[in-house]
Amino acid sequence: MRNKIIAGNWKMNKDLSETKGLLNDLKTKVGAGLGGVQVIVCPPFTSLALAAELLKGSTIKLGAQNMYFEDEGAFTGEVSPKMLKSAGCEYVILGHSERRQIFGETNELINKKVKKALASGLLPIVCVGETLDEREKNITDQVVTSQVKGALREISSADMENIIIAYEPVWAIGTGKNATPQQAEDVHRLIRKLIGQMYNWTVAEKLIIQYGGSVKPDNAAELLKQSNIDGALVGGACLKADSFTQIIQSANVV
Ligand code: PGA
């Protein structure tokens, strides 16, 4: 049985004082009642060091939303895995659809980042997912397959233990239109089967596959009940302690 992992992707939200407010609220609400659920928060870069300080002594883990694949150098505007580690991060989201669509990230670039994150001791949350157009053209399976293969090129089976995959259909992100539990489960099953073929069934069975895309307190339980959905990557609903806590609680009971 895989433990559930719920991650909050804050995106470009929350300044320092808002970070303090949200994390203090979250710590009070979540308290010690996490059960077997692992909670991760991914604030913007500017809030990471403060978040690490505020989360000291808590079981909530810290992640970043992106990184570059070098340790240092002339890469204006970029942040390295070494910097993320020193700010207190354990996780890093890579290949989010907003990075792919708005900032032109390719499978090749994402693969470089995944390799570098692993080599630096960060645990990548690798995002994949089809657009509405791709779903309507019935090419969801091909798109997701090529994203998974592209992001994981030359990743060893030992390293797979340190990777989370997040399936996030682009048409469901920030739109209020979540995938039905069945639609999500179908793609999660496909991803697990693919990992089984690329590696072996032991690796596939251990892999945590999160669902993301308009996860809210009122749909989380149904999604998390599916046998191949091992957690959620939550955007909008993680910005308030109340709604994020409710999602965490629904993971605790399924
Ligand atoms: P959403 O975002 O929950 O606001 O749809 C999810 C994500 O982009 O990770």
Side-chain angles (χ1 to χ4, degrees):
M1 191 53 195
R2 295 174 294 270
N3 281 345
K4 299 269 191 273
I5 303 187
I6 307 292
N9 173 10
W10 294 15
K11 307 194 180 182
M12 199 175 73
N13 293 291
K14 309 289 178 189
D15 63 15
L16 291 175
S17 75
E18 292 163 336
T19 296
K20 195 168 174 201
L22 177 54
L23 288 181
N24 282 339
D25 240 21
L26 196 62
K27 281 194 295 182
T28 321
K29 292 218 160 67
V30 170
L34 293 179
V37 183
Q38 179 63 64
V39 177
I40 307 165
V41 290
C42 304
F45 292 137
T46 45
S47 288
L48 288 174
L50 172 65
E53 199 55 42
L54 292 164
L55 292 176
K56 269 200 186 129
S58 138
T59 51
I60 301 172
K61 308 269 192 200
L62 188 63
Q65 301 170 20
N66 184 29
M67 52 159 251
Y68 195 58
F69 60 81
E70 298 283 354
D71 279 330
E72 58 194 16
F75 304 104
T76 302
E78 293 295 323
V79 171
S80 78
K82 190 165 157 244
M83 293 165 184
L84 296 182
K85 293 266 295 183
S86 79
C89 289
E90 286 180 58
Y91 293 84
V92 60
I93 299 173
L94 295 175
H96 189 277
S97 65
E98 284 147 22
R99 299 296 320 168
R100 293 177 189 262
Q101 295 203 311
I102 307 171
F103 303 100
E105 293 200 6
T106 60
N107 286 331
E108 203 181 8
L109 175 66
I110 295 159
N111 178 244
K112 283 189 182 157
K113 294 185 178 191
V114 172
K115 286 178 181 159
K116 183 65 185 180
L118 289 165
S120 311
L122 285 166
L123 307 171
I125 301 176
V126 180
C127 302
V128 297
E130 81 287 1
T131 62
L132 181 58
D133 185 49
E134 290 161 344
R135 176 158 284 263
E136 283 172 348
K137 284 191 184 130
N138 277 322
I139 53 167
T140 297
D141 292 8
Q142 287 102 295
V143 171
V144 170
T145 299
S146 82
Q147 288 175 340
V148 170
K149 283 190 172 164
L152 301 182
R153 205 169 62 87
E154 293 166 355
I155 301 296
S156 70
S157 55
D159 273 339
M160 281 306 293
E161 300 220 0
N162 297 321
I163 289 184
I164 295 174
I165 293 185
Y167 167 58
E168 300 204 301
V170 178
W171 48 272
I173 296 179
T175 57
K177 270 193 237 161
N178 64 291
T180 63
Q182 193 55 54
Q183 281 174 322
E185 171 65 10
D186 286 347
V187 181
H188 281 234
R189 200 181 315 107
L190 168 102
I191 294 171
R192 199 175 305 286
K193 202 170 140 207
L194 175 64
I195 297 298
Q197 289 159 359
M198 290 167 66
Y199 298 92
N200 57 55
W201 196 243
T202 314
V203 170
E205 273 198 316
K206 280 194 200 154
L207 177 71
I208 298 291
I209 310 176
Q210 297 177 318
Y211 169 77
S214 298
V215 176
K216 302 277 181 280
D218 61 359
N219 61 25
E222 273 309 306
L223 286 158
L224 292 166
K225 246 188 239 165
Q226 306 304 310
S227 57
N228 285 291
I229 301 187
D230 313 309
L233 181 53
V234 183
C238 81
L239 298 175
K240 292 215 166 74
D242 264 344
S243 43
F244 194 47
T245 308
Q246 284 172 47
I247 293 170
I248 295 164
Q249 282 159 352
S250 45
N252 208 354
V253 293
V254 291

